[in-house]
Amino acid sequence: MPRPKADFEQFRPLDFRDPDEVLDEETMYTVYEVARLLQGLDPGRELDAETENVLLDWAIPWMMVNAEAFVFAEPDADDEPGYYGLA
């Protein structure tokens, strides 16, 4: 539900970091791990499905906008996610 700006005490700019500020250049990550890292969380942290889905809603567009910065490795099995790393 929309809310009036007056309901909020302060605002922050919407700022996205560059991939090299988030990922280690020698490591490959699943999209789930990238989503956690974007939020400053440990990439192995367990999250409930609802929270994970919200984080993915932010991570996937960020990865698409920065696609030229990424490489992709096929998953080990068809039911596992692929891996992404810095190009």
Side-chain angles (χ1 to χ4, degrees), residues 6-53:
D7 285 357
F8 301 92
E9 292 182 25
Q10 67 180 25
F11 303 103
R12 298 182 311 179
L14 187 58
D15 186 28
F16 291 99
R17 297 181 288 169
D18 291 329
D20 62 351
E21 296 174 306
V22 178
L23 307 177
D24 179 295
E25 65 183 81
E26 298 299 322
T27 305
M28 299 290 284
Y29 305 90
T30 67
V31 68
Y32 304 100
E33 293 164 338
V34 171
R36 289 180 187 97
L37 288 168
L38 278 171
Q39 298 300 317
L41 302 174
D42 180 282
R45 181 173 173 179
E46 290 291 323
L47 299 172
D48 62 84
E50 188 174 310
T51 300
E52 187 123 73
N53 288 335

